[in-house]
Amino acid sequence: MQRLLTDTKDITTTRLEDVPAAPLGAGQARLRLLSFALTANNVTYAASGFAIGYWQFFPTGIKGQGIVPVWGTAEVVESDHADLAVGTRLYGFYPLAEELVMDVAADAHGGFVDAAPHRAELPAVYNRYTAVRAGDPAGDHMRALLQPLLATSYLLFDWLMDNDCFGAKQIIIGSASSKTGLGLCKYLAEPAPRDTRIIGLTSARNRDFVTALGACDAVLSYDEIAQLPQAPSVYVDMSGNAAVKSSVHSTLGDDLKHSAAVGISHWDQFQPQLAVEGVKPQFFFAPAQIAKRREEWGPGVIEKQITAAWKRVAAEADNWLEVRVHDGIGQAAAVYGALADGTANPREGHIIAL
């Protein structure tokens, strides 16, 4: 069995490792990965591996070496659990590896949970696995690429609506070319009428791409931040770029009503201790919004809204997404490397097929 190890102190350094297949214990199942997505989201998982706990999901047993989590589809190839049959295909949160041995527990919604003791205190949304039908590789790819990212986009939208946009008249999305960023732009553009402007921030090379999406009222490159209109604003930061964050804060001053930190795709320019003018940035954690809505609305309601929302945006993905399939886990390091160093094309969605 092969897995891709990542240096937890230098997340651009990876190496492929062969390890013996773990023996199966009572109540466990062996899942062989079929395919998984690699996006900027995985870079955020690595960059925040210690702060949020992503390195804890799939411990390597090697000091200083972690496994980046990925979203994908796997097939049960061996099972010692009566409720999980061999041949079942499960979508969920996996290690960047060829297989996962999970401690199987059935949940109350017809799915399964990895009940491994080391995952018990981690956010429940990452421990759930959903059965998916066979014979639809394109559907597997689209789900892995877009469902996690657009789920976060929708939860950001729901959170902004839940807080009346903090009184803002414009929402500024940093790294609007990211799939989470463009998803948020699209969800914000859906209500009609609306009284908030949507402003996308992106690099100069991605400006035309974001503009063509048609969801933003204005698109500015990072060197145009000084042109932001002075109006009550919320900044949603997908990149973690300290210089960009500082510039947005200093430009808007007291007009910035809330600053939300979501992703760290610009991990090499992330400075969490950097002091900025005005409001203090606050981290947005999507599982917390899910938990809040479950408590308010009951189980299953927010999940149905997320599913409808991501499928709605995915239905038009042919206009802005080119799926690229790479054969074998040996291709993962190069794809991940391009995402980590910021050279990946935002129009492309990368799948590793095993």
Side-chain angles (χ1 to χ4, degrees):
M1 193 272 287
Q2 290 188 306
R3 61 185 187 177
L4 189 71
L5 298 179
T6 300
D7 189 316
T8 58
K9 293 184 178 180
D10 176 6
I11 65 169
T12 62
T13 300
T14 61
R15 64 182 174 89
L16 201 61
E17 181 188 50
D18 287 290
V19 292
L24 210 63
Q28 292 186 324
R30 189 183 313 280
L31 280 65
R32 173 71 64 172
L33 270 75
L34 301 173
S35 62
F36 57 84
L38 282 175
T39 70
N41 202 31
N42 302 104
V43 178
T44 291
Y45 290 156
S48 59
F50 289 114
I52 303 179
Y54 289 113
W55 295 131
Q56 298 177 38
F57 281 93
F58 309 110
T60 65
I62 304 173
K63 186 177 180 180
Q65 298 292 304
I67 295 182
V68 175
V70 297
W71 291 91
T73 303
E75 181 178 359
V76 179
V77 294
E78 188 179 356
S79 178
D80 190 59
H81 193 283
D83 294 332
L84 186 55
V86 170
T88 304
R89 301 169 79 255
L90 294 177
Y91 166 74
F93 205 56
Y94 291 102
L96 207 171
E98 292 181 322
E99 70 175 40
L100 169 67
V101 171
M102 64 182 285
D103 290 24
V104 183
D107 69 13
H109 308 289
F112 298 91
V113 172
D114 190 341
H118 72 273
R119 294 178 68 163
E121 301 302 318
L122 298 170
V125 66
Y126 296 120
N127 293 336
R128 293 190 174 97
Y129 294 81
T130 305
V132 293
R133 64 186 178 89
D136 186 19
D140 290 344
H141 299 167
M142 196 64 72
R143 185 188 304 107
L145 280 167
L146 296 183
Q147 190 274 344
L149 303 175
L150 295 181
T152 300
S153 303
Y154 183 77
L155 288 164
L156 278 162
F157 166 76
D158 179 67
W159 166 76
L160 286 167
M161 298 301 105
D162 197 20
N163 288 280
D164 296 320
C165 293
F166 300 91
K169 295 301 180 183
Q170 60 186 15
I171 310 296
I172 302 157
I173 296 93
S175 195
S177 66
S178 68
K179 294 171 183 64
T180 308
L182 72 85
L184 177 57
C185 293
K186 286 182 174 292
Y187 294 132
L188 287 168
E190 286 182 337
R194 60 180 169 89
D195 59 0
T196 55
R197 298 182 76 238
I198 306 164
I199 301 178
L201 292 182
T202 190
S203 63
R205 69 186 179 91
N206 291 334
R207 183 174 180 172
D208 289 346
F209 170 72
V210 175
T211 300
L213 296 172
C216 295
D217 298 301
V219 179
L220 299 177
S221 61
Y222 294 128
D223 58 2
E224 296 174 325
I225 289 174
Q227 299 177 25
L228 284 170
Q230 292 294 329
S233 305
V234 168
Y235 177 49
V236 183
D237 177 20
M238 305 293 180
S239 71
N241 186 313
V244 171
K245 186 191 300 286
S246 179
S247 183
V248 170
H249 276 246
S250 61
T251 297
L252 293 174
D254 291 341
D255 277 330
L256 188 59
K257 304 305 179 184
H258 191 91
S259 179
V262 182
I264 318 177
S265 58
H266 294 186
W267 61 274
D268 55 335
Q269 299 175 68
F270 180 56
Q271 299 177 39
Q273 305 306 318
L274 177 72
V276 293
E277 294 184 30
V279 295
K280 183 178 179 179
Q282 296 184 24
F283 182 72
F284 174 80
F285 191 45
Q289 185 68 9
I290 293 176
K292 180 178 185 291
R293 287 311 199 189
R294 281 179 180 154
E295 183 176 344
E296 293 172 346
W297 298 342
V301 179
I302 186 63
E303 288 85 354
K304 288 180 181 178
Q305 291 189 6
I306 291 170
T307 298
W310 86 260
K311 288 185 176 180
R312 192 165 64 244
V313 172
E316 59 179 41
D318 286 349
N319 297 325
W320 49 266
L321 178 65
E322 177 185 341
V323 178
R324 294 193 59 194
V325 180
H326 309 266
D327 292 327
I329 195 169
Q331 303 298 311
V335 175
Y336 169 81
L339 292 162
D341 67 20
T343 59
N345 185 337
R347 181 176 289 277
E348 295 177 342
H350 296 278
I351 293 290
I352 305 297
L354 305 179

